[in-house]
Amino acid sequence: MTVIALSAGAPNTFDGAAPDRICRRPTRAELHAYRSPTPARGRALVYAGGGYLQLMHDKEGVEVAQWLNTLGLDAYVLVHRLPGQDDHPFDIALQDGLLALDHLATLAPLPLLHVGLSSGGHLAGVMACQRHVLESAGAVIAYAPLNANHRDHKFPAGKPDFPPPEKQAFYDAWPIGIATEPHGLPRCPVFLAYALHDAVVPVQHALNLIVAAQQHGLDVEAHVFPQAEHGFALRGLDGTHAQWPALAATWMEAKLAT
């Protein structure tokens, strides 16, 4: 693993021990690069969740990167700064994501995928909407608060705003898959994996994007699993959602081949 600094600041530190490290106060934007053991046929930017309050670095970052390595992808886990923390602006995660794209654009060309879980899936969706010289082949998103945290589209209705205010502002600025917010429509194919009875991130987030895909001709493949709980990642696979990594791998294979 190689750490690539993308911004000024002290190197990031993590609470806990592997495989459960958490970054609670990112000090700079970093890429943690995990290389495929075979010649890479693509790259993935990996975004860990944590509700934009912390980063679940191992569970939703490193373990995902290592899985992607087995599929022949170089994987880069983005440690991004958090909205409102240390006076960072509401869109600091997007800014750090763009720094990551700028870095990857300096490397030898390979197809790029965005892969994110939970709030990292929201960021993957945001990144899939960006215009950048480095275009995306697709985005893999699981149990992510894509759009129904927006103050005008909340599910359930009347749900309180999320603290800090900058976090809520980021959700308001980037509702991914709301047809009336065209800047939030992904510019690449999207794969979704959701839990039907997720109380933390209701399945309506996925349904809203599916409706927008139907209306705008987007390429969206969605899988909804009845036994899954929020945060299943690559660990909590006691149910039919045990299929999701294989389904995602097949989908990524097809997108990298186009």
Side-chain angles (χ1 to χ4, degrees), residues 26-254:
T27 48
R28 70 180 184 185
E30 291 177 350
L31 286 176
H32 291 212
Y34 292 80
R35 312 290 183 182
S36 168
T38 57
R41 56 199 183 90
R43 295 190 181 97
L45 258 178
V46 179
Y47 311 91
Y52 291 117
L53 300 174
Q54 59 188 8
L55 297 172
M56 308 300 289
H57 183 67
D58 281 332
K59 179 184 178 184
E60 295 179 342
V62 174
E63 291 177 12
V64 173
Q66 292 171 337
W67 164 60
L68 293 168
N69 288 163
T70 70
L71 304 178
L73 299 173
D74 286 342
Y76 297 78
V77 180
L78 176 64
V79 180
H80 62 80
R81 292 164 290 181
L82 300 173
Q85 191 179 87
D86 297 324
D87 296 322
H88 293 313
F90 78 96
D91 63 347
I92 188 63
L94 169 56
Q95 292 184 34
D96 288 349
L98 292 173
L99 290 176
L101 287 185
D102 290 344
H103 172 77
L104 295 182
T106 68
L107 306 180
L110 281 174
L112 173 69
L113 296 165
H114 298 286
V115 181
L117 310 183
S118 196
S119 60
H122 174 259
L123 184 55
V126 173
M127 297 303 297
C129 297
Q130 304 306 308
R131 295 182 181 273
H132 192 275
V133 64
L134 189 57
E135 296 184 349
S136 305
V140 174
I141 294 171
Y143 54 90
L146 288 175
N147 44 58
N149 285 353
H150 186 289
R151 67 177 64 248
D152 294 333
H153 305 285
K154 283 186 180 178
F155 186 92
K159 184 165 60 174
D161 285 355
F162 290 94
E166 292 84 358
K167 172 181 171 178
Q168 183 64 53
F170 192 39
Y171 282 137
D172 291 347
W174 288 99
I176 308 306
I178 297 294
T180 56
E181 304 278 350
H183 75 284
L185 297 180
R187 299 171 52 80
C188 63
V190 177
F191 176 98
L192 299 176
Y194 274 75
L196 179 61
H197 302 294
D198 190 340
V200 179
V201 176
V203 73
Q204 279 73 14
H205 288 272
L207 300 180
N208 288 337
L209 178 54
I210 292 168
V211 170
Q214 183 183 48
Q215 294 174 342
H216 292 269
L218 306 181
D219 182 346
V220 174
E221 178 171 327
H223 299 269
V224 180
F225 301 101
Q227 299 93 359
E229 297 180 354
H230 181 76
F232 50 84
L234 296 173
R235 298 183 184 182
L237 300 181
D238 185 16
T240 56
H241 52 295
Q243 306 171 65
W244 94 263
L247 291 167
T250 299
W251 183 89
M252 288 187 282
E253 174 74 29

